[in-house]
Amino acid sequence: MSRKNRWLLQALALSVLLLLPAACGTSQPAPTPTPVPTRDPALLPGLRPITVENAAAVHLLRTLRLPAFSASATSQCSVDFGPDGTRLAGVCYKSTAPIWEVSSGRLLRTLRDAPVHDVAVSFSPAGTLIALGGFGNEIGLYDPATGELRRALGPVSAPTWDLDFGPDGDNLAVASFDRESPASPGMHLWRVSDGQLLWNGGADGTQRRLLSVAYDPTGELIAYGTLDDGAVIVQARTGQLATTLPIAAHVGDLAFSPDGQWLATGSDDFKIRLWRAADGQLLDTLEGHTQYVNGVAFSPDGRLLVSGSRDRKVGLWDVQTGQLVAWLAGHENAVLRVDVNPAGTLIASISWDGTVRLWGAAADE
């Protein structure tokens, strides 16, 4: 073999050796690509406080479904954010009384092992208890962190339609009525620490059929919405009648403003009314819903009022002007109660469609 041919064969062998590793899959691994930052789709985005000015940007963020939900012949619904805004509870018709993690929508636990006809739920101001009531013969006080029943208040003689803790967390105001026994006391005030009933029926002795209740921020007054048309404000310590609010319709829900100066009522004549809490003077009437107004709640700054209605819509209202600033639509059945989280960035609405919907405005939109 000539020197030239030998050189060509050596060159060819060398080129084959250089190519062989790649053909056998033993090449060096490719560089790791740089991770692309992504937002966890399960988490809510950054949110801005909901105000009169940005109400038009509020939209649906998440839909939560009540576990083991089923309808009943007669019912109410209730929804409540925990005091730190991280948890949300809701009950409506029959369900297992869920508590969700707000940021992810994850179901943390249920307070019932099987569906029960609960319609009223409320976190204590410290967030260490959650009160649950409905068509049973007692009101349960649960540890929301563990689901453990801490105390049962009762027995109660009529279904519980609404309940609210006083600002000190040791008093629980209850609104009740029984269609079968309309003369049974509707007003109740319980002491949480020892389960003692402090008073019922109110000091004037009138047996009112009650749909809703709200403690004022000072703890001095309690407002009740009635099935007998109108609302009343009583002294929290004694149940003594302080003010009567004349409304020619059932009052399904009411709420004090954060400073305690105003009281909002939602009623079956499709109207929301704003009252001066100190003397019961009517300040404004908000109109726009086309069905019963079942829920009302103030924003933390008191400038915005949220309403829920049987017309399936959630309304956002400017308290100062009485003007509607936005409608939130999407529920497939009547909207019952509503709530605003402590930061003012989320609205929760609960409906007979078996869902709780969370509404807000993303900070980066």
Side-chain angles (χ1 to χ4, degrees), residues 327-365:
W327 287 121
L328 306 179
H331 277 293
E332 298 172 0
N333 207 324
V335 180
L336 276 292
R337 297 223 164 96
V338 292
D339 196 23
V340 184
N341 72 340
T345 57
L346 283 172
I347 294 167
S349 57
I350 191 166
S351 166
W352 280 345
D353 62 13
T355 70
V356 174
R357 305 203 179 203
L358 296 179
W359 314 81
D364 55 2
E365 293 181 355

Side-chain angles (χ1 to χ4, degrees), residues 118-286:
D118 296 312
V119 297
V121 67
S122 180
F123 277 94
S124 67
T128 56
L129 288 175
I130 186 166
L132 188 63
F135 282 64
N137 60 2
E138 62 185 25
I139 297 165
L141 299 176
Y142 293 83
D143 182 338
T146 65
E148 178 187 357
L149 178 65
R150 291 291 188 84
R151 183 183 296 280
L153 304 178
V156 295
S157 59
T160 297
W161 292 90
D162 198 12
L163 38 76
D164 195 24
F165 281 94
D168 66 358
D170 195 34
N171 290 331
L172 183 70
V174 176
S176 66
F177 83 88
D178 188 346
R179 292 181 183 274
E180 304 302 323
S181 302
S184 62
M187 297 181 184
H188 304 271
L189 186 69
W190 296 85
R191 189 161 58 211
V192 171
S193 56
D194 60 5
Q196 181 178 346
L197 180 62
L198 300 178
W199 52 258
N200 64 20
D204 65 353
T206 302
Q207 306 301 345
R208 297 178 175 88
R209 299 179 298 165
L210 301 177
L211 293 171
S212 51
V213 62
Y215 239 110
D216 92 311
T218 70
E220 296 178 359
L221 301 173
I222 303 173
Y224 288 93
T226 82
L227 189 68
D228 304 305
D229 300 345
V232 295
I233 301 175
V234 303
Q235 300 291 336
R237 188 175 61 85
T238 64
Q240 186 69 43
L241 182 65
T243 309
T244 299
L245 308 179
I247 304 169
H250 306 337
V251 176
D253 199 20
L254 33 70
F256 282 97
S257 61
D259 62 6
Q261 300 300 305
W262 292 23
L263 179 71
T265 59
S267 47
D268 285 7
D269 59 2
F270 314 164
K271 297 176 183 179
I272 302 160
R273 291 173 175 83
L274 298 175
W275 309 82
R276 191 160 60 201
D279 58 7
Q281 180 179 343
L282 180 62
L283 301 174
D284 205 350
T285 301
L286 316 182

Side-chain angles (χ1 to χ4, degrees), residues 266-330:
S267 47
D268 285 7
D269 59 2
F270 314 164
K271 297 176 183 179
I272 302 160
R273 291 173 175 83
L274 298 175
W275 309 82
R276 191 160 60 201
D279 58 7
Q281 180 179 343
L282 180 62
L283 301 174
D284 205 350
T285 301
L286 316 182
E287 299 186 57
H289 280 296
T290 58
Q291 268 293 343
Y292 304 157
V293 179
N294 302 310
V296 288
F298 282 94
S299 62
D301 65 5
R303 291 191 56 206
L304 192 75
L305 185 74
V306 181
S307 60
S309 170
R310 195 169 179 173
D311 62 16
R312 306 186 180 189
K313 293 185 290 188
V314 175
L316 306 185
W317 308 81
D318 183 339
V319 173
Q320 297 297 326
T321 66
Q323 296 300 305
L324 176 73
V325 293
W327 287 121
L328 306 179

Side-chain angles (χ1 to χ4, degrees), residues 67-81:
F69 172 82
S70 64
S72 303
T74 301
S75 196
Q76 175 58 283
C77 303
S78 184
V79 65
D80 196 31
F81 283 103

